[in-house]
Structures are given as C-alpha cells and as structure tokens.
Amino acid sequence: MHIKKVMLALLVLVIASAFVAQQTKPQPGGLKAALTRGKAVYEATCLACHQPDGLGVQNMNPPLAKTKWVLGDKKALIKIVLKGLQGGEIDIDGDKFHNPMPPQESTLSDQEIADVLTYIRNNFGNKASLVAVGEVKAMRARLK
C-alpha cells in the first residue's frame, strides 16, 4: 500500500512539472522570433496610443518605457491586455493618464499577446523576461 502512495505522489509531481514547463516554455522560434512577431502586433495594435517610442501621450495614454506596469507582475500586464482598462486614472511616476484601454481578448490570440508583451518588455529601454503563451492561456481561462 505504501508503494502505491509513493508512486501516485511521483506521478502527480511529474504531471505538475510538465504543466509548469508548458506554462513557461519559450515561444516558437525563440526570443528573436517572438520579438519580431511582437513588433508587428505592436505596430498594428498598440502604436497609435503608446507611440513608436513607447512613451505614450501625456495625460492620455501611459508610457511603456521603464514602468512597473510593464516590468512588474506579468499576470497583471496580461490581464490589462486581455480585459483592458476602463475609466479611472493610472499614475506613473506622478503623471496621470486617463484614456481607457480597449480589451484585446477577442482581437488578439494568446500567441499575439505573448509576443507583443515580450516585445514591450524588451524594448523602450526595458529588459524583462518573456511572456509565454501558456501564461496568457492560463490568465484567459482564469478570467472567464
């Protein structure tokens, strides 16, 4: 009986490890490919509000350069892209931004969101870890 419990525990650990690996595995083609795809998504979807330099528009659209919103918790960033930000204001380094951000959950795929966030987190003076497709899928499922 004891051997069966040990085997079951090992099986659970193997499955959990595989799940975690799936959530954080690199994008298809690696970081360089993710950055290339992410740049295309940024230019088509984000550039008008956040500008080519990622500095946004004063008092309207927040910058993406070196902010805790971009460099901090990936889950929060993913949620913002999926669900948008409606109303209220965002304070970034004492500057207030008021424009709502439209949700992208029905516009962008998990891959596109992972790629654009990886691009943003590694441009405009930023340097942060990539966002994996599995992380976006998990957040999308959690928010349903």
Side-chain angles (χ1 to χ4, degrees):
M1 185 70 172
H2 179 68
I3 271 276
K4 287 183 181 179
K5 286 183 181 177
V6 170
M7 294 300 287
L8 181 60
L10 284 173
L11 179 61
V12 168
L13 282 173
V14 167
I15 291 170
S17 295
F19 177 76
V20 168
Q22 175 68 24
Q23 298 301 308
T24 58
K25 73 179 183 178
Q27 316 292 26
L31 179 61
K32 186 175 179 180
L35 292 173
T36 299
R37 291 188 306 262
K39 181 179 182 182
V41 174
Y42 183 84
E43 289 174 348
T45 308
C46 314
L47 184 134
C49 294
H50 295 287
Q51 303 299 293
D53 57 9
L55 295 178
V57 177
Q58 189 172 8
N59 298 321
M60 292 175 57
N61 305 315
L64 302 173
K66 299 181 181 178
T67 73
K68 67 179 181 177
W69 294 88
V70 172
L71 297 172
D73 182 19
K74 290 191 284 185
K75 291 178 184 174
L77 188 59
I78 294 167
K79 182 178 177 182
I80 289 170
V81 173
L82 285 168
K83 293 296 184 179
L85 290 172
Q86 305 302 316
E89 75 182 14
I90 294 175
D91 182 306
I92 297 180
D93 298 329
D95 293 325
K96 311 276 189 236
F97 299 91
H98 304 280
N99 263 6
M101 178 173 159
Q104 300 298 315
E105 64 188 334
S106 62
T107 307
L108 299 176
S109 70
D110 293 341
Q111 182 71 60
E112 290 169 321
I113 293 171
D115 290 340
V116 76
L117 291 180
T118 295
Y119 174 77
I120 290 166
R121 287 169 54 87
N122 287 281
N123 278 284
F124 316 122
N126 299 325
K127 185 68 178 154
S129 61
L130 64 79
V131 175
V133 175
E135 293 172 301
V136 178
K137 281 182 198 252
M139 181 57 70
R140 189 185 294 265
R142 190 173 133 215
L143 294 173
K144 282 189 177 187

